[in-house]
Amino acid sequence: MQQATLFSPDRKARLHSALLTWFEQHRRPLPWRTDYAPYAVWISEIMLQQTQMERGVSYFQAWMERFPSIADLAYAEEDEVLRAWEGLGYYSRARNILRAARTIQAEHAGLFPSAYRDIAALPGIGPYTAAAIASIAFNQDVACIDANVERVVSRLCDLDVPVRRQPGKALLAECADDLLCRGRARDYNQAVMELGALVCGRRPACPVCPLQSFCRALQHKTVHLRPVLPEKTASVALTIASGVLVSGGLLYIQKRLPNDVWGGLWEFPGGSVEQGECPEEAVVREFMEETGLAVRVTDKFGCIRHKYTKYNITLHCFALALADKASDPCPEPPHLCEASEFRWCTLEELKDHAMPSSHRKLAKTLSLSGDKLSSSLSGTPHAGERSLPGLLSG
């Protein structure tokens, strides 16, 4: 087993100086770096998980306009928070942000706690996020490890063990702590993350790295072998059928159960295509199972291809009508088994309901369908006219 302490105090001091000088010259002007307000640092850290920086900055700025303080967030409705988060995915993050804001409002008088233990106790904040907030917002001497830090430290120390499982994970943490520039944790942690993002990436630019003279992996010619990571999980293909039910000039949507995948988001009902059935059959069956409503397919208007964690999803999209003429053109479903509530809404109102990315893409396509869609919403389409025109492409 390798030793965590690989650098003498003098060598670490020179490493710190080289890294912090580089950071001062190359740091990106990110909005949460203006004053390092704890609320801003917290939201940025949660948003940047599984999100590219440019996209994260855009969402961060819109979020801060909508919820400028912890109090504004704490008193917001969950639907409003999910709508602001829509497109970032992993929606449990947004629900935990709301829970944490309410906890801060109730237990910390609306002030973000500064103690690491109190930060880590908030909903949705794990060890990395707690360390990042403690060091960046409060300049506490805590090392934090994200994927960028993982690459930099693994290469500096040439760690030849898998760093995402024990004992390699503990060794990586020891190395990160040993290398920490105490007293300047805010700048140091950000500098390491910035270096991992801009220079020491998956395709490292070693010739321009300010730490090349300190890097053991570069000396040993093992840079591209570090960090040692587990094998990627094989992707799983899923075929799903979903339908847009139109009746009485309105569209049917439903809200997923809180603890389900995409919990609390609105969707057009549907589900997996089972073995032996075609997508058209699947969407009719799913509607009956989920809502008790008998529907018929009036048209197929395209497919959406979407990736979610390990799943490659092909979503077949159909236009639907009620199978039987009912006295109520917008009936209440006899039962809901995959949803907490339902709603008949106008095309315009779809924008006010948070949806998974694939369903939002479908909703946006509907909004661009023009006069033919308006005709469809106002009654039965003419012969030969598509009930929901416009093709979706993956």
Side-chain angles (χ1 to χ4, degrees):
M1 186 69 177
Q2 292 173 261
Q3 296 296 315
T5 303
L6 297 173
F7 296 89
S8 67
D10 177 66
R11 190 170 175 79
K12 279 191 287 189
R14 288 187 284 113
L15 183 152
H16 294 158
S17 177
L19 178 62
L20 293 172
T21 298
W22 174 87
F23 181 57
E24 187 63 32
Q25 296 170 351
H26 296 89
R27 65 194 300 162
R28 289 172 288 185
L30 303 176
W32 49 88
R33 286 177 174 168
T34 56
D35 58 6
Y36 295 110
Y39 173 49
V41 172
W42 166 41
I43 297 301
S44 71
E45 286 297 332
I46 301 296
M47 279 191 172
L48 290 176
Q49 297 169 12
Q50 309 292 331
T51 304
Q52 293 182 341
M53 180 63 76
E54 184 177 349
R55 184 176 177 84
V57 168
S58 175
Y59 270 85
F60 174 86
Q61 292 170 329
W63 181 280
M64 286 301 174
E65 289 181 7
R66 194 164 187 173
F67 310 113
S69 70
I70 292 175
D72 291 310
L73 176 58
Y75 293 116
E77 296 293 329
E78 182 178 286
D79 282 352
E80 184 183 6
V81 173
L82 291 175
R83 185 67 182 93
W85 194 266
E86 186 182 281
L88 286 174
Y90 302 94
Y91 289 89
S92 61
R93 293 183 293 169
R95 287 189 290 273
N96 280 330
I97 285 176
L98 180 57
R99 289 174 56 210
R102 290 172 175 173
T103 299
I104 294 168
Q105 197 68 20
E107 299 180 10
H108 300 281
L111 299 176
F112 200 97
S114 59
Y116 177 88
R117 179 180 297 180
D118 293 334
I119 298 171
L122 293 171
I125 295 185
Y128 161 73
T129 305
I133 295 170
S135 64
I136 296 173
F138 300 104
N139 199 33
Q140 295 178 16
D141 287 336
V142 185
C144 54
I145 302 174
D146 68 354
N148 291 315
V149 177
E150 184 180 76
R151 283 195 299 274
V152 173
V153 174
S154 293
R155 289 166 177 167
L156 280 174
C157 301
D158 195 21
L159 301 182
D160 62 357
V161 291
V163 294
R164 293 185 183 174
R165 64 169 185 258
Q166 301 297 1
K169 186 175 181 179
L171 178 61
L172 177 69
E174 290 178 33
C175 289
D177 181 70
D178 182 62
L179 288 171
L180 181 67
C181 184
R182 303 185 189 279
R184 295 197 63 184
R186 167 183 290 158
D187 290 337
Y188 173 82
N189 279 339
Q190 289 184 99
V192 178
M193 289 188 277
E194 201 87 325
L195 187 71
L198 302 181
V199 177
C200 194
R202 293 176 182 174
R203 296 181 178 179
C206 297
V208 299
C209 179
L211 303 185
Q212 57 181 288
S213 64
F214 301 92
C215 183
R216 293 171 65 89
L218 183 61
Q219 296 165 14
H220 298 159
K221 297 181 171 42
T222 56
V223 171
H224 289 84
L225 300 177
R226 308 288 181 257
V228 180
L229 300 175
E231 293 184 6
K232 291 185 177 180
T233 304
S235 61
V236 178
L238 286 181
T239 302
I240 295 175
S242 186
V244 180
L245 174 59
V246 182
S247 186
L250 299 175
L251 306 169
Y252 179 94
I253 56 175
Q254 63 184 20
K255 190 175 187 179
R256 294 185 68 90
L257 296 170
N259 296 323
D260 202 353
V261 177
W262 300 312
L265 301 184
W266 294 84
E267 67 171 2
F268 302 105
S272 296
V273 178
E274 296 182 353
Q275 187 174 3
E277 69 179 355
C278 64
E280 291 87 345
E281 294 169 332
V283 73
V284 171
R285 172 184 56 75
E286 285 287 342
F287 247 89
M288 177 58 70
E289 291 177 356
E290 293 185 18
T291 69
L293 293 173
V295 300
R296 58 184 174 85
V297 174
T298 61
D299 200 3
K300 178 176 182 180
F301 55 96
C303 288
I304 292 174
R305 290 175 177 82
H306 180 65
K307 289 186 177 182
Y308 178 74
T309 62
K310 66 177 181 179
Y311 299 103
N312 290 330
I313 299 171
T314 300
L315 178 66
H316 294 267
C317 307
F318 297 94
L320 306 174
L322 293 169
D324 301 312
K325 291 184 178 180
S327 56
D328 182 359
C330 298
E332 180 175 345
H335 63 259
L336 292 173
C337 27
E338 299 290 340
S340 59
E341 58 182 292
F342 75 97
R343 191 163 295 172
W344 290 92
C345 67
T346 65
L347 187 63
E348 178 66 19
E349 289 169 340
L350 285 179
K351 72 178 188 305
D352 299 323
H353 298 77
M355 291 179 155
S357 295
S358 56
H359 290 252
R360 176 56 62 193
K361 187 174 182 180
L362 171 52
K364 287 182 177 179
T365 300
L366 299 180
S367 69
L368 296 174
S369 296
D371 294 339
K372 287 186 177 182
L373 177 58
S374 299
S375 172
S376 172
L377 289 171
S378 63
T380 304
H382 299 295
E385 181 182 81
R386 298 174 71 84
S387 55
L388 288 174
L391 294 177
L392 295 177
S393 59

